[in-house]
């Protein structure tokens, strides 16, 4: 709801995502990382299908097949310590000196996974395309592209160079910068924002943590802050893999994709460490239109135009400082676009999602893509490759992700958010990156939205067979790329006062087909990504956005109206385990504000889907998972492992450096190696009092929802934290123990 409030401040621009990639589990059946234990596999493993076992035993008796009771695997035994692991991770498998003897085995084991052919499995790199990522989110150049206010007959939009009639404070914001930097005006600013996944392998819940967000102007020799504040953690929602038409191929995922992040920016100064600020003139305007004292802002981000350089040559990658990463490691961050809106937050709204009505593209309705004029160019790759990408083509049809609708009864406006729903394509190929490998493609320098034709919004009253036209949009006038980013991807239609839209449903149509219909039910949670300890007590609560821990609450709506506890909807909750490819379901009564708890007896990641109708369930066919990820209602959870081994170490009177290295630090030396570059994992370093004091502050749960928490991945179990604390207190004595 807040995302449709006024004033709306819309933005668009370039962001560096310096994600670390070795923990993505991208190259199954290769396993380098044990997500349950948050530790690397030493040695790494290649898992086998049951019908491969006999052949492997016969053909490669020198590579023993090991069984863990349910699965079979071969260990890559030469990759036996951290230093070897790091060098091996940067190479194509089978080309590093120590695993060349495994090449024929790799050719067999990787026969058909991930589009790999028998002739070319060796483009796989265990560290993937950005092994040394520091997880930072660096706003390179994100600008304010438009501002909007209601005008009594719809909405007025102003953009840079078009400011007639715009309130002065809003016209001054146009063209300025949205940034997550800790100090925007510093000569070498550092970002306060970081990315991490609840489930780094399944990648169903990416989290964005921020220290600060603000709008700033440093033009004309001035340094002006319009506002800055502390955003809450946000998690991605409604992910689609059909946004970028040029890049729609499995081998390029997630480059074709887009997703929403919602956050709420706190503007208050609740303690002595806060330095939040808002320009008084801007505050007054927010208060005027919100009808209350605005103490927070709602921020919607669409992440799209995801460009990654794949299969890189780590020996040729740049090592100079880039974005937030000031070390001399090889650097290959993703470059993406952030587009969206900032609006006043209204008390009682959700903080990490938006209360609205949802329109979905039915799975049976494919949207045709007409490329007879060859306007949409397929990606270009190196000539003569046996790998699949040299056969990439533009899709002939796509599935659209959801659109969101809100009826503003005060301003008599229906707003339709299609920021992720309109496909786009790249134009004007740039120069290929010189370190890109065989599977890398050059970037596009410009983008345009695909012309779906005239899109009309209709409302169908219950019991009626004649729909009412709300309004229409066309590519030339409303959703061409330049216009689209100036309005934050939201279209506004004036309505008559007093019209009741609760007794019916909306749908979207082109002249040839109905492309989206309203799903009457919308089920959400502000605790979409949460953590628990294995076997924790039932009243301990979950970690979602820092302390205090708390319950998970489900928000549930029908046609935009909260579902009352006294009259719940009878539906289902599904347990979906991607690692095991298993799912089950049980009936449940769904209502707004419903508390939800999940089992914590087993470590690992799990999704819980909520469905009020059978069409909202994750179907039995796993090939439909992409549609569920884009349209389904779910939360993602992680239960951090309880270890008897660690409990025994904690019971000892003293521990050694090897104890903390082997059970905690090795993960950040090998799978997330940027930390070892900044702070070497040697006993000498980790006995330094200043290092230990900094560590104690960084791993404290009080730091959990901030960008300085360690580890950035949030996968530190309570026992691992206690082990690190035990080591520190063992050296420091009881110094700082209370703090």
């Amino acid at each position: 709801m807040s995302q449709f409030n006024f004033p709306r401040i819309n933005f668009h621009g370039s962001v560096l995502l310096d994600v670390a990639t070795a923990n993505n589990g991208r190259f199954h059946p290769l396993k380098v990382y044990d997500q349950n234990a948050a530790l690397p596999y030493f040695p790494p493993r290649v898992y086998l299908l049951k019908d491969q076992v006999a052949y492997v035993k016969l053909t490669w008796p020198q590579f023993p097949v090991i069984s863990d009771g349910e699965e079979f695997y071969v260990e890559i035994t030469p990759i036996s310590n951290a230093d070897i692991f790091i060098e091996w991770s940067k190479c194509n498998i089978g080309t590093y000196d120590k695993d060349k003897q495994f090449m024929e085995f790799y050719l067999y084991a990787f026969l058909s996974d991930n589009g790999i052919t028998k002739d070319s499995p060796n483009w796989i790199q265990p560290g993937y395309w950005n092994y040394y990522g520091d997880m930072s989110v660096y706003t390179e150049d994100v600008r304010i592209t438009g501002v909007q206010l209601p005008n009594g007959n719809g909405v007025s939009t102003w953009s840079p160079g078009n400011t007639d009639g715009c309130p002065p404070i809003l016209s001054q914001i146009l063209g300025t910068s949205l940034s997550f930097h800790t100090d925007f005006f510093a000569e070498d600013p550092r970002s306060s924002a970081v990315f991490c996944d609840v489930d780094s392998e399944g990648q169903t819940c990416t989290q964005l943590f921020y220290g600060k967000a603000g709008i700033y102007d440093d033009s004309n020799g001035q340094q002006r802050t319009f506002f800055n504040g502390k955003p809450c953690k946000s998690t991605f929602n409604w992910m689609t893999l059909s946004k970028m038409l040029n890049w729609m191929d499995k081998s390029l995922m997630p480059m074709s994709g887009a997703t929403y992040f919602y956050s709420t920016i706190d503007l208050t100064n609740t303690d002595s460490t806060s330095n939040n600020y808002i320009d008084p003139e801007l505050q007054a305007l927010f208060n005027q239109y919100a009808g209350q004292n605005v103490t927070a802002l709602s921020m919607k981000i669409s992440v799209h135009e995801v460009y990654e350089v794949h299969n890189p040559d780590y020996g040729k990658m740049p090592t100079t400082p880039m974005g937030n990463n000031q070390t001399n490691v090889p650097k290959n961050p993703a470059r993406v676009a952030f587009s969206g809106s900032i609006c006043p937050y209204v008390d009682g709204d959700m903080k990490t999602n938006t209360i609205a009505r949802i329109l979905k593209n039915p799975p049976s309705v494919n949207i045709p893509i007409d490329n007879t004029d060859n306007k949409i160019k397929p990606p270009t790759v190196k000539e003569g490759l046996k790998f699949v990408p040299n056969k990439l083509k533009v899709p002939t049809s796509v599935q659209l992700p959801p659109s969101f609708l809100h009826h503003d009864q005060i301003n008599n406006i229906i707003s339709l958010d299609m920021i992720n729903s309109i496909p786009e394509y790249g134009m004007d190929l740039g120069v290929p990156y010189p370190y890109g490998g065989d599977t890398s493609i050059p970037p596009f320098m410009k983008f345009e939205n695909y012309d779906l034709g005239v899109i009309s919004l209709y409302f169908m009253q219950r019991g009626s067979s004649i729909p009412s036209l709300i309004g229409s949009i066309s590519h030339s006038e409303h959703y061409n790329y330049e216009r689209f980013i100036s309005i934050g991807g939201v279209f506004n239609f004036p309505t008559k006062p007093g019209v009741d839209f609760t007794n019916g449903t909306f749908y979207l149509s082109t002249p040839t087909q109905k492309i989206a219909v309203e799903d009457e039910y919308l089920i959400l949670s502000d605790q979409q990504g949460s953590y628990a300890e294995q076997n924790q007590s039932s009243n301990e609560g979950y970690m979602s956005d820092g302390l205090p821990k708390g319950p998970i609450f489900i928000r549930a709506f029908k046609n935009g109206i909260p579902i009352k506890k006294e009259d719940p909807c009878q539906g289902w909750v599904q347990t979906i385990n991607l690692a095991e490819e298993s799912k089950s379901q049980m009936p449940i009564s769904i209502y707004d504000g419903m508390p939800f708890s999940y089992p914590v007896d087993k470590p690992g990641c799990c999704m819980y889907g909520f469905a009020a109708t059978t069409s909202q369930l994750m179907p039995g066919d796993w090939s439909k998972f992409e549609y569920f990820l884009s349209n389904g209602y779910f939360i993602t959870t992680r239960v951090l492992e309880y270890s008897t081994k660690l409990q025994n170490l904690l019971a000892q009177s003293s521990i050694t450096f090897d104890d903390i290295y082997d059970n905690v630090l090795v993960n950040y030396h090998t799978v997330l190696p940027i930390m070892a570059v900044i702070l070497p994992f040697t006993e000498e370093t980790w006995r330094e009092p200043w290092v230990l004091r900094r560590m104690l502050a960084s791993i404290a749960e009080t730091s959990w929802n901030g960008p300085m928490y360690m580890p950035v991945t949030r996968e530190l179990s309570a026992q691992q934290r206690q082990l690190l604390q035990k080591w520190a207190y063992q050296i420091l004595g009881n110094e700082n123990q209370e703090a």
Side-chain angles (χ1 to χ4, degrees), residues 421-685:
S421 306
I422 304 289
E424 62 181 316
Y425 57 93
M427 304 184 298
D428 298 351
L429 279 172
V431 177
Y433 283 67
Y435 58 86
D438 285 349
T439 64
S440 187
I441 60 175
F444 290 108
M445 308 310 293
K446 290 175 59 180
F447 300 90
E448 183 53 80
N449 283 346
Y450 179 74
D451 188 352
L452 291 166
V454 174
I455 303 173
S456 298
L457 175 66
Y458 292 93
F459 178 74
M460 181 70 79
Q461 190 88 14
R462 282 193 184 91
S464 173
S465 59
I466 303 175
S468 300
L469 175 65
I470 304 299
S472 300
I473 55 174
S474 67
H475 182 271
S476 59
E477 187 175 351
H478 303 98
Y479 67 93
N480 61 77
Y481 193 83
E482 183 178 2
R483 175 67 177 172
F484 194 70
I485 62 173
S486 74
I487 62 174
V490 178
F491 305 101
N492 303 285
F493 307 98
T495 64
K496 294 179 181 179
V499 178
D500 180 11
F501 289 105
T502 61
N503 188 30
T505 56
F506 292 91
Y507 68 89
L508 290 170
S509 182
T510 66
T512 58
Q513 63 183 154
K514 191 181 292 186
I515 63 172
V517 297
E518 182 177 357
D519 186 331
E520 292 190 280
Y521 293 94
L522 178 63
I523 305 172
L524 308 166
S525 177
D526 268 332
Q527 296 80 38
Q528 181 154 345
S530 70
Y531 296 75
E533 300 290 335
Q534 187 178 3
N535 301 325
Q536 71 177 37
S537 63
S538 58
N539 61 354
E540 188 170 339
Y542 307 104
M543 185 72 90
S544 179
D545 191 26
L547 295 176
K549 297 179 182 180
I552 292 170
F553 289 110
I554 304 302
R555 303 297 308 274
F557 307 89
K558 183 176 182 181
N559 297 127
I561 306 298
I563 299 173
K564 295 180 179 180
K565 183 177 181 180
E566 298 77 26
D567 187 21
C569 167
Q570 300 307 312
W572 301 268
V573 59
Q574 281 187 300
T575 301
I576 305 168
N577 190 312
L578 296 182
E580 299 175 359
E581 289 197 354
S582 66
K583 55 184 177 295
S584 60
Q585 66 191 55
M586 60 180 292
I588 188 174
S589 295
I590 299 172
Y591 58 89
D592 189 41
M594 176 184 75
F596 177 76
S597 60
Y598 53 88
V600 294
D601 57 317
K602 295 180 180 179
C605 297
C606 207
M607 297 172 68
Y608 295 93
F610 301 90
T613 65
T614 55
S615 64
Q616 296 165 358
L617 290 167
M618 166 64 195
D621 183 355
W622 281 92
S623 67
K624 306 296 184 183
F625 181 69
E626 182 183 325
Y627 185 86
F628 177 77
L629 198 61
S630 182
N631 294 273
Y633 307 139
F634 60 87
I635 62 172
T636 298
T637 66
R638 182 162 184 177
V639 177
L640 300 168
E641 185 177 57
Y642 175 89
S643 166
T644 302
K645 176 185 177 183
L646 290 187
Q647 199 59 32
N648 291 336
L649 286 173
L650 290 170
Q652 294 177 187
S653 58
S654 64
I655 56 174
T656 68
F657 175 75
D658 286 345
D659 291 331
I660 66 166
Y661 180 83
D662 293 343
N663 293 285
V664 185
L665 301 183
V666 66
N667 194 45
Y668 310 102
H669 191 181
T670 54
V671 179
L672 299 155
I674 186 64
M675 187 172 174
V677 175
I678 297 170
L679 201 63
F681 288 117
T682 63
E683 183 167 359
E684 180 183 11
T685 299

Side-chain angles (χ1 to χ4, degrees), residues 367-431:
I367 311 303
I369 301 299
D370 182 0
N371 196 34
T372 53
D373 58 2
N374 203 31
K375 184 183 294 184
I376 308 171
K377 306 293 184 185
T380 59
V381 294
K382 294 182 179 180
E383 294 293 331
L385 289 183
K386 294 179 180 178
F387 179 69
V388 172
N390 63 343
K391 301 175 183 177
L392 293 180
K393 297 178 181 179
V394 174
T396 57
S397 65
V398 297
Q399 281 276 317
L400 302 181
S403 300
F404 300 91
L405 182 146
H406 173 66
H407 178 209
D408 181 342
Q409 298 180 56
I410 296 175
N411 294 299
N412 299 308
I413 294 167
I414 286 180
S415 296
L416 177 67
D417 182 3
M418 299 188 72
I419 195 167
N420 271 7
S421 306
I422 304 289
E424 62 181 316
Y425 57 93
M427 304 184 298
D428 298 351
L429 279 172
V431 177

Side-chain angles (χ1 to χ4, degrees), residues 201-430:
E201 296 182 331
Q203 296 179 303
T204 60
C205 186
T206 299
Q207 305 167 111
L208 182 48
F209 293 85
Y210 324 72
K212 181 185 287 188
I215 292 179
Y216 310 93
D217 185 13
D218 60 355
S219 63
N220 303 319
Q222 68 171 346
Q223 293 184 355
R224 183 176 181 184
T225 300
F226 289 93
F227 77 81
N228 63 53
K230 171 70 171 71
C232 68
K233 181 197 88 171
S234 55
T235 52
F236 80 32
N237 295 273
W238 321 114
M239 188 177 80
T240 174
L241 294 174
S242 56
K243 176 70 170 172
M244 178 62 66
L245 297 175
N246 312 72
W247 295 342
M248 281 190 61
D249 184 86
K250 183 179 179 181
S251 65
L252 298 178
M253 286 197 301
M255 290 171 60
S256 63
T259 192
Y260 283 94
F261 284 89
Y262 297 95
S263 181
T264 300
I265 305 169
D266 182 13
L267 298 175
T268 62
N269 288 292
T270 54
D271 56 59
S272 59
T273 63
S274 301
N275 61 348
N276 301 334
Y277 169 80
I278 183 168
D279 182 285
E281 191 177 350
L282 187 59
Q283 176 81 66
L285 193 67
F286 283 150
N287 292 352
Q288 175 188 342
Y289 282 90
Q292 65 178 58
N293 181 39
V294 173
T295 60
L297 301 175
S298 181
M299 177 169 62
K300 174 195 75 180
I301 299 171
S302 169
V303 181
H304 59 123
E305 295 166 13
V306 180
Y307 179 72
E308 303 167 350
V309 179
H310 286 180
N311 194 221
D313 183 337
Y314 277 84
K316 295 179 180 179
M317 285 166 61
T319 57
T320 54
M322 184 184 305
N324 220 54
N325 195 330
Q326 300 295 301
T327 67
N328 62 354
V329 298
K331 298 178 183 67
N332 185 29
R335 180 168 274 110
V336 306
F338 272 23
S339 303
S341 307
I342 295 172
C343 312
Y345 172 80
V346 174
D347 294 341
D349 200 358
M350 296 185 70
K351 292 194 171 185
T352 62
N353 220 310
T354 191
I355 299 171
R357 297 172 72 162
I358 184 169
L359 283 70
K360 299 178 180 179
N361 179 194
S364 60
V365 179
N366 291 316
I367 311 303
I369 301 299
D370 182 0
N371 196 34
T372 53
D373 58 2
N374 203 31
K375 184 183 294 184
I376 308 171
K377 306 293 184 185
T380 59
V381 294
K382 294 182 179 180
E383 294 293 331
L385 289 183
K386 294 179 180 178
F387 179 69
V388 172
N390 63 343
K391 301 175 183 177
L392 293 180
K393 297 178 181 179
V394 174
T396 57
S397 65
V398 297
Q399 281 276 317
L400 302 181
S403 300
F404 300 91
L405 182 146
H406 173 66
H407 178 209
D408 181 342
Q409 298 180 56
I410 296 175
N411 294 299
N412 299 308
I413 294 167
I414 286 180
S415 296
L416 177 67
D417 182 3
M418 299 188 72
I419 195 167
N420 271 7
S421 306
I422 304 289
E424 62 181 316
Y425 57 93
M427 304 184 298
D428 298 351
L429 279 172

